[in-house]
């Protein structure tokens, strides 16, 4: 089937694309993908992490689950998902600000252990910008102010919870098993959509020190 839209997005950059109701997007990834969606006919209506979790009574989404807006409208449905891990719905997006904040907290756990192990000795060893800036740039031709970009569905960001509710960001530890073979996720638009995605930098030197090397992602849109 011929794709209506076929785009490769390099690491630490973003893309935006429109979809008509009923069209399907396939995102093929060996990186974390921060993904957001807006109602194309009313850009103030956008993806909502909390409603998506609460209405479906779960924190991990996969095939058959919906992406919901703040007013509970189904925006997209996951129709295929070959990723062997979980897609995170707890963390927001990385950004220039988030990396700087972590760097400023480098004397505190877990960074005071992780950074020396990874050979991180200066702010420039962490990504200089992140998914927030990538999505902001991708949406620059739309009337959406950056503060209105919602917290994303973090595709491929494998997340585990311990019995006390602590978040365990396990994607680095398990990336070899999770990304082989190369996974994809298919989402069907349940309304006319404006989508945006960022190919996450994988925490730069911190990820690469653990053997996690993000690769460009591919975005293909098809008629259903
Ligand atoms: Zn990111």
């Amino acid at each position: 089937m011929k794709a209506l839209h076929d785009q490769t997005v390099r690491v630490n950059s973003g893309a935006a694309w429109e979809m008509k109701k009923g069209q399907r997007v396939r995102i093929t990834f060996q990186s974390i993908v921060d993904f957001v969606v807006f109602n194309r006919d009313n850009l103030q209506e956008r993806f909502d992490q909390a409603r998506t979790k609460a209405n479906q009574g779960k924190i991990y989404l996969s095939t058959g689950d919906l992406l919901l807006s703040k007013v509970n409208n189904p925006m997209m449905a996951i129709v295929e998902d070959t990723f062997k891990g979980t897609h995170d719905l707890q963390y927001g997006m990385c950004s220039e600000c988030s990396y700087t904040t972590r760097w400023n907290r480098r004397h505190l756990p877990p960074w005071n252990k992780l950074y020396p192990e990874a050979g991180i000795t200066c702010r420039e060893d962490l990504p200089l910008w992140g998914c927030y800036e990538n999505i902001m740039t991708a949406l620059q031709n739309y009337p959406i102010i950056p503060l209105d970009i919602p917290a994303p569905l973090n595709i491929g960001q494998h997340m585990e919870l311990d019995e006390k509710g602590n978040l365990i960001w396990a994607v680095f530890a398990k990336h070899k098993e999770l990304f082989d073979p190369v996974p994809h996720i298919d989402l069907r638009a349940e309304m006319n959509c404006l989508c945006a995605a960022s190919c996450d930098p994988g925490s730069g030197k911190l990820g690469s020190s653990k053997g996690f090397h993000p690769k460009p992602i591919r975005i293909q849109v098809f008629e259903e």
Side-chain angles (χ1 to χ4, degrees):
M1 203 189 330
K2 188 176 176 335
L4 303 168
H5 177 97
D6 191 342
Q7 181 175 10
T8 298
V9 181
R10 68 182 192 281
V11 175
N12 212 7
S13 67
W17 67 95
E18 297 187 13
M19 294 172 66
K20 294 254 188 279
K21 182 179 179 183
Q23 291 176 346
R24 176 173 176 145
V25 63
R26 170 165 294 184
I27 301 175
T28 307
F29 56 96
Q30 286 175 286
S31 304
I32 295 158
V33 183
D34 287 46
F35 178 80
V36 296
V37 55
F38 300 81
N39 176 349
R40 182 62 192 97
D41 301 322
N42 172 12
L43 292 173
Q44 289 187 316
E45 184 177 12
R46 49 196 186 264
F47 174 61
D48 190 84
Q49 276 192 349
R51 291 264 52 91
T52 295
K53 288 184 278 194
N55 286 29
Q56 297 173 104
K58 57 172 73 173
I59 61 169
Y60 299 134
L61 304 185
S62 190
T63 308
D65 293 327
L66 298 169
L67 276 60
L68 297 161
S69 72
K70 188 170 263 185
V71 287
N72 299 323
N73 288 324
M75 305 188 82
M76 302 192 91
I78 300 175
V79 289
E80 196 170 308
D81 179 12
T82 69
F83 188 55
K84 289 179 276 188
T86 60
H87 305 293
D88 168 56
L89 272 177
Q90 313 305 318
Y91 278 98
M93 279 180 200
C94 70
S95 62
E96 184 280 328
C97 173
S98 77
Y99 290 116
T100 297
T101 300
R102 286 183 210 172
W103 173 248
N104 290 339
R105 295 167 66 86
R106 61 192 178 278
H107 56 289
L108 298 170
W111 315 112
N112 59 353
K113 184 164 176 286
L114 290 174
Y115 286 175
E117 278 174 8
I120 292 168
T121 58
C122 60
R123 169 66 183 89
E124 288 69 29
D125 284 337
L126 296 170
L128 299 181
W129 69 89
C131 295
Y132 183 55
E133 288 79 17
N134 295 334
I135 287 180
M136 189 190 299
T137 304
L139 292 171
Q140 64 188 337
N141 292 327
Y142 293 93
I144 296 169
I145 62 168
L147 286 173
D148 283 342
I149 296 169
L153 170 63
N154 283 313
I155 295 167
Q157 182 159 292
H158 181 60
M159 180 61 60
E160 297 173 2
L161 280 170
D162 72 12
E163 66 282 356
K164 290 183 177 163
N166 294 307
L167 298 173
I168 304 163
W169 205 51
V171 67
F172 289 164
K174 299 190 173 176
H175 61 92
K176 285 198 176 70
E177 58 189 279
L178 295 176
F179 291 94
D180 181 25
V182 180
H184 66 261
I185 186 169
D186 289 9
L187 299 120
R188 184 181 61 228
E190 301 296 298
M191 58 171 62
N192 294 332
C193 290
L194 167 64
C195 301
S198 166
C199 182
D200 180 272
S203 291
K205 204 168 177 178
L206 182 58
S208 61
S209 75
K210 298 180 181 304
F212 182 70
H213 302 287
K215 295 189 173 57
I217 60 171
R218 187 175 184 191
I219 293 162
Q220 297 164 285
V221 177
F222 300 100
E223 290 289 358
E224 179 74 341

